[in-house]
Amino acid sequence: MTYTKRVVLGYIKTIVSLSCLAMILFNCESRLDVTPLSNLTDATYYKTAEDAKAALGGCYASISNPDVFIDLATSDDAVPFLTGDANRPLLWRYDITPDNAFIRFYPAAYTSINRCNIVINRLPTIAMDENLKQRYIAEAKFLRALAYFNLVRLYGGVPIMTTETDGLEGLEVARASIDEVYQLIESDLSEAEQVLPLSYEEVDKGRATQGAAKGILAKVYLTRAGTERNSPYWQRAATKAKELIDQGVYDLYPNFAAAFSLQARGGIENIFEVQYLTDVRGHSLGRGYGIRSAPIYPGGGAGIARVAANLFNLYQDNDQRKAVSFITSYSYQGKTVELSATDPNPANAVSFQKLWDKTATTNGGEGTSFPILRYADILLMYAEASNERDGGPSVEAYEALNRVRQRAGLSALSGLDYASFRAAVWLERRLELTFENNRRFDLIRTGQLLQAIKADTGFGRNAQIQEHHVLLPIPQLDMDVNPLLEQNPGY
């Protein structure tokens, strides 16, 4: 066994051990009342309802969501600053190797999957309220499906693991096909959908709901439909999105900015979100993607990436989303600094502020939620899927699209044919969902990735993108651990 493999196997064993024994709070939010456990072994654990609750808390604590940088750097929405970590511009220019640190989503995803498998496998033997037990299992299936959905969209077919791993045995698993992974995702979400509640009391807001399962399932079907005009998945996507709309549980905030406020946590628009807590356990998405070295952030702005001009210039002047999503100027000590989408100086770059928690006083202390699924996304999915299904926009499709547009301050659309309506929905998705991990996946499923990247020539990008880049390479460290893995073609 090589030194690298011994080190990585030791790392995985530690992660597996932690996933079994160190169940922590869901995103450090005490609101879900999941008690952390310590000094437990298999002999004493998984015996009571409280054990079950804590085990599920471990699943939520490891929610599998790719780094937003992958979406920004491999799409046409952002330009990574060309100084600092060399892996960032390499990813942006599509000079991607399996050693690039920013593509390594595998360990986090499989940690999440293993914790979910523990809940799914162990809870049936616990003596507790049967309805609560089935709900916990359904929540774990939802979270497992979410992890596999992200994996399959990033890497293609991946190893399927549905039983817990408590050591090094069983880690060497070959890749399943894309269809097999999607079969598991659809099965988990369909089963969860039948059990999960419509909503929760205040203390449990943030847990997976029936609407969350329907919404992610709609996105799965939208993804599977791809570019096929007559795919049956268009009907399925439209049906699931419409079921969620008809529940009447979710809605748009009247004001776009309200959807990203601290008060929006668990609110009417966030169907599923990663929750944080200001200055306790937060994130750094405002500072990290803010203005390089700007004094308006605690410790100064990190400035990882700037907003691409081709995105920034798409917004109409009266589009309320522009001022919410991006920071274009700031004042400090009586001086105003104007920012530009084209100025090469990182300190003068228009930057992302969509999720910036301005109340945070510490680095990494921002408490705004990261939206995995918003109601606006559901409306746009329904508009797109029903247009594809019907060969043109219906009254309901227009209503869904125009609700998103009019909330942003734009006029309603009408009189469009099939192709024009589809293009309008695609544009609206880009403007509405920027910085929310959707752009890359949308470009791939609509067959536009290569065209969009080749057209993005700002700041000398000249990306060497090819057909095989619709999938990322399997990270080399994970290839070293599992000799049964085969690398994606082209890498």
Side-chain angles (χ1 to χ4, degrees):
M1 182 183 292
T2 66
Y3 173 77
T4 298
K5 188 169 182 180
R6 286 197 303 271
V7 170
V8 177
L9 285 175
Y11 165 75
I12 287 183
K13 187 171 182 180
T14 301
I15 292 296
V16 167
S17 226
L18 288 172
S19 74
C20 296
L21 301 178
M23 301 304 175
I24 59 175
L25 297 177
F26 169 31
N27 298 311
C28 304
E29 283 280 20
S30 59
R31 62 188 291 143
L32 292 183
D33 191 25
V34 182
T35 306
L37 302 177
S38 59
N39 299 320
L40 295 171
T41 67
D42 283 350
T44 59
Y45 200 22
Y46 313 117
K47 301 295 185 183
T48 69
E50 285 301 309
D51 296 342
K53 187 178 184 180
L56 181 61
C59 300
Y60 279 105
S62 60
I63 284 178
S64 176
N65 199 46
D67 187 338
V68 69
F69 184 77
I70 295 176
D71 179 67
L72 295 176
T74 63
S75 74
D76 50 354
D77 273 359
V79 181
F81 288 119
L82 305 183
T83 57
D85 194 321
N87 282 309
R88 291 174 181 152
L90 289 175
L91 193 64
W92 177 63
R93 292 193 172 107
Y94 274 82
D95 185 3
I96 304 174
T97 69
D99 292 314
N100 192 299
F102 290 99
I103 63 158
R104 196 160 186 250
F105 175 65
Y106 248 63
Y110 278 104
T111 295
S112 179
I113 288 166
N114 195 57
R115 292 183 179 187
C116 293
N117 287 340
I118 289 170
V119 171
I120 296 165
N121 298 164
R122 295 293 190 102
L123 262 62
T125 64
I126 295 179
M128 58 180 291
D129 178 84
E130 189 62 27
N131 290 333
L132 186 60
K133 178 194 297 186
Q134 293 306 316
R135 195 198 86 192
Y136 283 177
I137 292 172
E139 290 178 68
K141 286 185 176 181
F142 170 85
L143 294 171
R144 182 171 72 179
L146 185 62
Y148 274 118
F149 187 35
N150 285 324
L151 281 169
V152 75
R153 289 187 293 172
L154 288 173
Y155 305 109
V158 293
I160 291 177
M161 302 181 74
T162 57
T163 56
E164 65 185 88
T165 301
D166 57 6
L168 300 183
E169 295 299 322
L171 289 178
E172 296 183 356
V173 180
R175 298 176 67 172
S177 69
I178 290 175
D179 281 344
E180 287 170 331
V181 178
Y182 272 116
Q183 286 170 15
L184 175 62
I185 293 167
E186 291 176 37
S187 174
D188 274 353
L189 290 173
S190 296
E191 291 175 20
E193 175 190 5
Q194 301 305 313
V195 177
L196 292 173
L198 288 174
S199 60
Y200 294 92
E201 297 297 326
E202 185 66 28
V203 70
D204 280 329
K205 282 189 174 181
R207 292 186 181 275
T209 61
Q210 183 184 117
K214 286 182 184 293
I216 296 297
L217 196 50
K219 186 163 285 193
V220 168
Y221 292 148
L222 202 73
T223 303
R224 299 210 73 184
T227 59
E228 186 181 343
R229 282 291 302 273
N230 298 317
S231 171
Y233 287 111
W234 292 120
Q235 171 66 58
R236 298 181 194 179
T239 297
K240 282 302 165 190
K242 187 63 163 59
E243 287 175 2
L244 193 155
I245 292 169
D246 289 345
Q247 284 181 344
V249 175
Y250 305 98
D251 203 351
L252 298 180
Y253 283 104
N255 183 288
F256 181 73
F260 307 98
S261 69
L262 293 173
Q263 292 71 36
R265 185 189 293 115
I268 58 172
E269 190 162 344
N270 279 334
I271 299 171
F272 196 68
E273 63 194 327
V274 181
Q275 296 183 347
Y276 297 92
L277 193 62
T278 302
D279 287 336
V280 177
R281 287 296 294 271
H283 59 75
S284 58
L285 292 171
R287 173 183 176 271
Y289 290 91
I291 309 156
R292 175 72 66 88
S293 303
I296 56 176
Y297 309 99
I304 296 171
R306 64 187 299 150
V307 178
N310 65 45
L311 168 64
F312 183 73
N313 293 332
L314 283 175
Y315 289 84
Q316 298 178 36
D317 290 341
N318 60 330
D319 192 328
Q320 296 176 12
R321 296 172 297 197
K322 189 172 188 177
V324 174
S325 299
F326 314 123
I327 181 168
T328 57
S329 67
Y330 70 91
S331 297
Y332 184 74
Q333 294 183 344
K335 179 183 178 182
T336 298
V337 178
E338 298 293 338
L339 305 176
S340 165
T342 56
D343 189 331
N345 184 350
N348 296 330
V350 169
S351 300
F352 294 96
Q353 68 169 359
K354 194 173 192 178
L355 302 180
W356 179 23
D357 175 5
K358 297 179 182 178
T359 71
T361 60
T362 59
N363 292 338
E366 297 171 48
T368 46
S369 293
F370 189 93
I372 292 178
L373 185 66
R374 285 196 293 119
Y375 189 64
D377 194 355
I378 297 298
L379 292 171
L380 294 173
M381 284 196 283
Y382 177 73
E384 180 178 354
S386 62
N387 180 59
E388 295 286 347
R389 176 195 63 194
D390 301 336
S394 64
V395 171
E396 288 182 321
Y398 271 116
E399 181 181 344
L401 173 59
N402 285 330
R403 285 200 64 194
V404 176
R405 285 179 55 84
Q406 291 176 304
R407 197 264 296 266
L410 304 179
S411 60
L413 296 176
S414 63
L416 303 179
D417 61 13
Y418 157 78
S420 298
F421 187 87
R422 181 182 64 175
V425 174
W426 288 351
L427 173 60
E428 216 58 44
R429 289 188 63 82
R430 188 179 188 190
L431 300 177
E432 175 76 20
L433 303 173
T434 187
F435 206 65
E436 296 181 44
N437 264 342
N438 281 282
R439 180 61 175 167
R440 174 182 170 82
F441 293 143
D442 278 349
L443 287 173
I444 291 172
R445 69 174 180 81
T446 59
Q448 300 179 92
L449 180 68
L450 271 71
Q451 173 188 344
I453 300 305
K454 288 178 179 178
D456 183 22
T457 58
F459 291 92
R461 184 174 194 178
N462 191 28
Q464 302 303 301
I465 189 169
Q466 301 177 52
E467 289 288 345
H468 69 269
H469 285 125
V470 297
L471 296 177
L472 295 177
I474 304 295
Q476 189 58 50
L477 281 173
D478 300 288
M479 294 285 294
D480 292 341
V481 168
N482 183 356
L484 296 184
L485 286 178
E486 295 183 7
Q487 185 56 272
N488 282 327
Y491 292 105

